[in-house]
Amino acid sequence: MAHVARGEYEDAYRVLRQANPLPSTCSRVCHHPCEASCRAGATGGEPIAIRTLKRFIVDRVDPKVYAPAAPLPDARSARIAVIGAGPAGLAAAHELSLLGHRVTVFERETKPGGMLVCAIPSYRLPRERLEKEIASLLNQNIELRYGVELGKDVNIDGLLAEGYKAVYLALGAHGSRALDLPGEESEGIVPGMRFLKEFNLHGRELARGKVGVIGGGNSAMDAARVAFRQSGVESVTVFYRRTREEMPAYTEETEAALAEGIRIETLVAPIAVVSEGGRLKAMRFIRNELGEPDASGRRRPVPLPGSQFDAPLDTLIVAISEQPEPTALACLKSSDGGGPRVDPETFATAQPAVFAGGDLVTGPNTVIDAIAAGKRAAAVIDRYVRGRLLKTVNRIAMPSAYVEPVSVPDEDDLDSAHRVTPPELPLDQRRRCFHEVEMCISESQALSEARRCLRCDLEFTHPT
Ligand SMILES: Cc1cc2nc3c(=O)[nH]c(=O)nc-3n(C[C@H](O)[C@H](O)[C@H](O)COP(=O)(O)OP(=O)(O)OC[C@H]3O[C@@H](n4cnc5c(N)ncnc54)[C@H](O)[C@@H]3O)c2cc1C
């Protein structure tokens, strides 16, 4: 923020990139928990639009200004296998390569990025940006092998026998939970992950006519907004069992879906598939009311007897939740079905030399947490292959570089300045179109937003 306020955009990029290997991605899709901790917001004002300012930086600066060199492998280097080229796997591979190790990333799809490429739609994360960002992480120490599936083409014991000194499992959570209703295999009913992958990876449009989406999380919102843009779609309705307040999807996603013309029907639960000749005709729902809080702290949906109704549908996308796929992990000794259990400090599984992280371990989570998991795992794997103690003290890094505050002619202007809101693609241009929805702010907006920052860093960095 301090560098942006001074117009030092390349310095700002270096600071960003040093901490985060995927800054362009995060400046678009991160759920910005930093903004909830921002003191400008905590003291009665509006938090600084940190993600929006990061977007301004990454859109303006050539990533070449920060290109860390990966040292050539030497006698102390090891060969390490990373399974999965999502944010966790890529972050781990990048960090390990900078420590001088030779990393092979095995990915079952034909493109790197994990959920960034196969699930998050391009109107939120343009693909040319993502491709460039991933390319900038690669170097001579990293080899990416596509179309290789753990559990089918390779297995853990085989990789260790081949000479890999450690294996990092970052397979994500790519299984869609099913409704478990009779008739769910009817033509026209599609699991959420399959729907998104078919379109994002292969350009196949599986939605047509009246589309229903079941779920209240980000996958449901993304599936609904992708369906809304597909060519044969008439209408899109999201069906959710609680109220909007309990929906786990980010508020900005839900609001964008509603603004685009997607309907959200709340307090309804699916109870039966109505099909004819093996094809979906309608979904039968029952209306709910909210009862006592459940284990998640949210009020439990309670069905209202006699409130069943049929919603005629041509396509139903089931996006209630994702979970790790058990098949690939069968080759992990100690696997007990779901994701692997890991030591919370060392990310080690019960099988020696095998580590795991990202959504595979946490269940569906966030990009920034997956990147953090990959970075931490890389540090531990480096210690493991060098024969050092795995557990270390987790030191919190405080800001250390002093950046002189910029002098502002009139402080009162700053007090009355409002948080910047990025411009968006007009609603009438979004139907059947995958252009990026959120756009970049202007330089003058960036300067005034960054100058609202209260500069908490000076408590640590101001020279005495
Ligand atoms: C629709 C959707 C929208 C989302 N939106 C957001 C958002 O806006 N903001 C946010 O912060 N987070 C979002 N997330 C969550 C975020 O994308 C994930 O938390 C993050 O990508 C997890 O990273 P990961 O590296 O652990 O796993 P993944 O990104 O899932 O990557 C795992 C990789 O492993 C590969 N793989 C799987 N099995 C095998 C195998 N057997 N062999 C070889 N390779 C394999 C997969 O193909 C994939 O490339 C979203 C998720 C979804 C599904």
Side-chain angles (χ1 to χ4, degrees):
M1 301 305 109
H3 281 308
V4 176
R6 296 170 57 84
E8 297 163 354
Y9 307 133
E10 291 193 356
D11 293 306
Y13 182 86
R14 280 187 207 100
V15 172
L16 264 188
R17 174 62 185 80
Q18 226 166 6
N20 184 344
L22 297 167
S24 180
T25 297
C26 288
S27 77
R28 289 173 158 83
V29 306
C30 183
H31 66 303
H32 48 79
C34 50
E35 293 179 16
S37 307
C38 170
R39 207 184 272 174
T43 50
E46 296 168 306
I48 305 299
I50 301 172
R51 188 180 84 181
T52 303
L53 282 172
K54 288 182 175 177
R55 164 76 187 270
F56 169 78
I57 301 163
V58 295
D59 273 18
R60 204 174 174 94
V61 177
D62 186 338
K64 290 196 185 93
V65 303
Y66 183 88
L72 287 173
D74 60 21
R76 292 177 312 149
S77 307
R79 279 175 74 209
I80 293 158
V82 169
I83 321 287
L90 288 172
H94 180 63
E95 294 289 319
L96 286 163
S97 75
L98 298 185
L99 293 164
H101 299 296
R102 279 179 298 151
V103 187
T104 311
V105 183
F106 298 92
E107 168 56 53
R108 81 172 161 196
E109 302 294 349
T110 52
K111 290 177 185 169
M115 292 297 193
L116 309 182
V117 70
C118 70
I120 298 183
S122 57
Y123 59 79
R124 294 210 283 129
L125 182 55
R127 295 307 187 250
E128 62 285 3
R129 290 265 167 194
L130 179 62
E131 281 163 22
K132 256 195 208 154
E133 181 144 278
I134 294 176
S136 75
L137 299 185
L138 305 179
N139 55 52
Q140 87 278 347
N141 289 355
I142 303 178
E143 183 195 354
L144 267 165
R145 286 199 206 154
Y146 299 112
V148 186
E149 183 168 342
L150 180 75
K152 192 170 139 212
D153 307 306
V154 289
N155 64 50
I156 294 172
D157 286 343
L159 291 170
L160 293 172
E162 250 185 70
Y164 290 100
K165 295 291 177 227
V167 178
Y168 181 54
L169 302 173
L171 311 176
H174 286 239
S176 288
R177 278 234 331 261
L179 293 172
D180 284 336
L181 290 175
E184 202 170 338
E185 64 299 332
S186 302
E187 199 188 325
I189 302 186
V190 197
M193 279 311 300
R194 183 170 155 237
F195 172 75
L196 288 170
K197 281 187 184 183
E198 284 292 330
F199 184 72
N200 287 327
L201 294 175
H202 311 293
R204 291 186 204 119
E205 301 191 346
L206 299 189
R208 65 170 192 85
K210 291 189 183 64
V211 179
V213 179
I214 300 189
N218 290 317
S219 305
M221 288 308 137
D222 278 334
R225 294 181 71 194
V226 168
F228 168 84
R229 286 164 168 80
Q230 295 193 346
S231 54
V233 170
E234 231 175 87
S235 65
V236 182
T237 308
V238 174
F239 298 93
Y240 178 57
R241 61 192 177 140
R242 293 183 165 103
T243 69
R244 276 210 37 215
E245 282 74 64
E246 288 86 23
M247 276 178 102
Y250 304 143
T251 313
E252 56 218 55
E253 280 295 297
T254 316
E255 281 169 1
L258 286 167
E260 286 170 1
I262 291 161
R263 286 185 56 230
I264 300 183
E265 178 119 25
T266 53
L267 288 170
V268 290
I271 51 170
V273 174
V274 183
S275 56
E276 209 176 271
R279 187 157 223 307
L280 172 75
K281 293 297 287 177
M283 206 55 207
R284 185 157 304 149
F285 291 93
I286 190 160
R287 296 203 185 275
N288 290 328
E289 63 180 357
L290 290 185
E292 293 301 308
D294 63 13
S296 73
R298 294 176 301 168
R299 291 175 66 193
R300 191 190 305 275
V302 181
L304 287 166
S307 64
Q308 291 94 323
F309 68 99
D310 284 1
L313 293 174
D314 301 294
T315 310
L316 180 78
I317 302 165
V318 182
I320 45 181
S321 182
E322 291 79 46
Q323 58 196 6
E325 295 161 301
T327 40
L329 289 174
C331 64
L332 173 70
K333 292 185 184 115
S334 83
S335 170
D336 58 1
R341 254 178 272 137
V342 298
D343 179 306
E345 283 179 71
T346 65
F347 321 109
T349 67
Q351 181 170 350
V354 183
F355 300 79
D359 279 12
L360 174 68
V361 171
T362 58
N365 199 8
T366 61
V367 174
I368 199 69
D369 280 329
I371 295 172
K375 283 178 63 178
R376 289 197 200 113
V380 170
I381 292 170
D382 175 61
R383 299 180 73 78
Y384 173 79
V385 296
R386 293 187 200 276
R388 294 195 192 142
L389 195 66
L390 293 195
K391 294 197 182 187
T392 55
V393 180
N394 199 5
R395 287 193 188 82
I396 295 171
M398 289 307 188
S400 56
Y402 173 66
V403 183
E404 198 178 333
V406 70
S407 56
V408 180
D410 191 347
E411 291 279 341
D412 288 346
D413 284 354
L414 282 187
D415 286 347
S416 57
H418 284 292
R419 175 181 159 101
V420 69
T421 308
E424 290 191 339
L425 190 71
L427 285 169
D428 61 358
Q429 291 176 31
R430 297 196 205 167
R431 195 86 209 247
R432 320 238 184 273
C433 159
F434 281 81
H435 287 161
E436 189 166 20
V437 167
E438 190 176 301
M439 295 188 266
C440 192
I441 54 173
S442 67
E443 182 171 16
S444 64
Q445 286 176 308
L447 287 170
S448 72
E449 182 68 7
R451 286 171 186 175
R452 288 203 307 119
C453 176
L454 301 180
R455 295 295 310 271
C456 307
D457 60 305
L458 294 176
E459 283 172 26
F460 308 98
T461 61
H462 189 254
T464 48

